Amino acid sequence: MKREHKIFTGTRAYTDAISTARQAPSRPPYAPRSASCPPHAASHYGPAHRSRQRGDARRKARRRRSGGGGGAMAGEAPLPSVARAPPGGGSGAVAGPGRAEGTEGLFVALGAGLAAASHPLLYVKLLVQVGHEPLPPTVGRNVLGRKVLYLPGFFTYARHIVKVDGKRGLFRGLTPRLISSTLSTITRGSVKKAFPLEDMEHVSNKDDVKTSLRKVVKETSHEMMMQCVSRVVSHPLHVISMRCMVQFVGREVKYSGVFRAIGRIFKEEGILGFFVGLVPHILGDVIFLWCCNLLAHFINTYAVDDNFSQASVIRSYTKFVMGIAMSMLTYPFLLVGDLMAVNNCGLRAGLPPYAPAFTSWIHCWRYLSSQGQLFRGSSLLFRRAPMQAACFPID
């Protein structure tokens, strides 16, 4: 009854207000509003009010059909919970680790794919490094037109492997190499998360290309730490991969599987057998990183003039060019490390006449230096035969 009384009272007030407005004399639009016509009569109960009511009813109907809640704007579809969450809070914060894990998985997949695609090239390179030359040299001419002896290049060598072992023979030792590449990528990512570069001391506030020397040292030290840790973790699988590949020389099957190879190395050589050749590899990586980064920094800072129109382009390629040059200079460390990984392990490729039993990697370095073979295998396309053919046993 009380509610009905309120409705009746409101209706009675509305009727009185309308009749009063009709009886009032007409006035020009600019005349002041009469006190007898209450302001709310024209604004809240006129045509504009009914239009607003109809619009509100339509918006509520659309909101009910779309399933939107009361907090959403009228006529709009409800936003998902992630979109409604404030930045950095709620369910939106979960997307960060997911994207990071996806990026890390992408890097692992790309690294494994690159390792598989380049495996035949590294397989041939390793056989050349150990001195295995199954094909005789051919007579050719150099740039000056003189006759020289050329050893078979990569494609000729690869065709020989396919002829002996088939196409699958080009991927001998691929499984441990893929595991080694995956371990290296995961380790680098883990070290980078544990010791992020952003948490280190900011030694320079410059935003231009000429970074301070202290900052270059900090960045290189951080990169060196990641490279050394990943090298130590992945080196045991690298040794197994090397030994699986050089079995092509003597047609052995001693290292036929990953787990079998792990057990054999541990039984015959102990735990140190998994880390033979590690020291020259780490030394080569450290020298490469420091020389490449420091030389690139000094060239970009002191050799490239800012007034030159292409200065930014030159600076962008400096580190790439320095990387190619330093990879050639540090190649002997790679060669010695690979030879030590297969030396005196019971395989023909690690025994005379291919190489003597080395006591240390320094002994191996001195032997190769005396033979003039510190860069053996650095080129796979145009390989000139050495002066002494006895250095390369021909099967």
Side-chain angles (χ1 to χ4, degrees):
M1 293 297 294
K2 187 175 182 180
R3 182 179 180 183
E4 293 178 356
H5 177 69
K6 286 184 177 181
I7 295 175
F8 177 78
T9 306
T11 307
R12 181 70 175 272
Y14 173 75
T15 306
D16 295 340
I18 293 299
S19 60
T20 305
R22 289 178 178 176
Q23 294 176 2
S26 60
R27 55 181 177 83
Y30 55 85
R33 190 183 301 273
S34 174
S36 61
C37 180
H40 66 272
S43 60
H44 292 279
Y45 297 99
H49 173 67
R50 289 192 295 271
S51 177
R52 281 196 301 270
Q53 283 183 332
R54 287 192 296 267
D56 292 341
R58 287 194 296 267
R59 284 191 289 271
K60 290 179 181 179
R62 284 196 298 266
R63 189 168 57 203
R64 283 194 298 268
R65 287 195 298 269
S66 62
M73 185 176 294
E76 292 183 355
L79 295 175
S81 58
V82 176
R84 289 199 303 263
S91 59
V94 183
R99 285 196 297 267
E101 293 177 359
T103 305
E104 184 177 354
L106 178 62
F107 278 121
V108 171
L110 289 177
L114 183 61
S118 62
H119 188 75
L121 180 65
L122 296 182
Y123 183 23
V124 173
K125 185 175 184 178
L126 178 63
L127 295 179
V128 173
Q129 285 178 339
V130 299
H132 180 57
E133 296 294 343
L135 302 175
T138 58
V139 180
R141 294 183 181 273
N142 58 9
V143 180
L144 301 178
R146 296 178 181 178
K147 290 184 179 181
V148 293
L149 290 178
Y150 284 104
L151 293 169
F154 165 73
F155 298 102
T156 305
Y157 213 125
R159 283 196 297 267
H160 172 72
I161 296 175
V162 172
K163 184 179 179 180
V164 175
D165 285 343
K167 294 182 179 179
R168 293 183 60 182
L170 289 173
F171 297 94
R172 182 194 294 262
L174 176 61
T175 302
R177 184 162 180 262
L178 289 179
I179 300 175
S180 175
S181 174
T182 303
L183 287 176
S184 177
T185 305
I186 295 176
T187 304
R188 289 179 65 91
S190 301
V191 174
K192 190 175 182 179
K193 288 180 181 179
F195 303 96
L197 188 62
E198 291 78 11
D199 292 345
M200 301 176 69
E201 179 186 0
H202 291 280
V203 296
S204 176
N205 294 325
K206 297 181 180 180
D207 296 328
D208 55 0
V209 181
K210 295 182 178 180
T211 315
S212 66
L213 181 60
R214 290 183 58 196
K215 187 173 183 180
V216 173
V217 171
K218 288 283 187 180
E219 293 174 353
T220 307
S221 302
H222 184 260
E223 190 175 357
M224 180 187 66
M225 178 182 61
M226 292 192 300
Q227 181 64 27
C228 291
V229 174
S230 65
R231 174 69 72 177
V232 172
V233 172
S234 62
H235 191 75
L237 275 301
H238 175 76
V239 172
I240 296 175
S241 178
M242 296 291 106
R243 296 185 179 184
C244 289
M245 286 188 279
V246 298
Q247 290 183 137
F248 176 82
V249 178
R251 314 305 300 166
E252 299 100 342
V253 290
K254 184 177 181 179
Y255 301 95
S256 57
V258 176
F259 295 103
R260 183 180 176 182
I262 292 175
R264 184 174 289 274
I265 293 175
F266 184 78
K267 181 180 179 180
E268 295 180 356
E269 305 174 45
I271 194 67
L272 296 179
F274 295 101
F275 299 97
V276 288
L278 176 63
V279 175
H281 274 296
I282 289 183
L283 287 178
D285 293 339
V286 171
I287 294 174
F288 172 83
L289 286 174
W290 282 101
C291 292
C292 180
N293 291 350
L294 290 178
L295 287 176
H297 168 71
F298 288 133
I299 291 175
N300 289 336
T301 305
Y302 302 106
V304 181
D305 191 1
D306 291 334
N307 297 326
F308 186 59
S309 59
Q310 301 295 330
S312 59
V313 178
I314 294 177
R315 289 193 178 101
S316 62
Y317 286 101
T318 302
K319 196 170 184 179
F320 173 75
V321 176
M322 289 296 102
I324 296 176
M326 293 310 304
S327 64
M328 292 298 299
L329 293 178
T330 57
Y331 177 80
F333 292 95
L334 174 65
L335 175 62
V336 172
D338 290 344
L339 291 183
M340 290 301 298
V342 301
N343 184 253
N344 199 21
C345 64
L347 300 177
R348 184 183 176 187
L351 298 173
Y354 291 94
F358 301 119
T359 58
S360 65
W361 70 272
I362 300 178
H363 180 202
C364 178
W365 184 291
R366 291 175 178 175
Y367 173 80
L368 293 174
S369 179
S370 63
Q371 298 291 325
Q373 299 294 320
L374 276 176
F375 291 90
R376 185 169 66 190
S378 60
S379 176
L380 295 179
L381 295 179
F382 303 101
R383 300 193 301 126
R384 293 184 59 177
M387 297 299 297
Q388 297 178 357
C391 294
F392 293 95
I394 298 178
D395 296 343

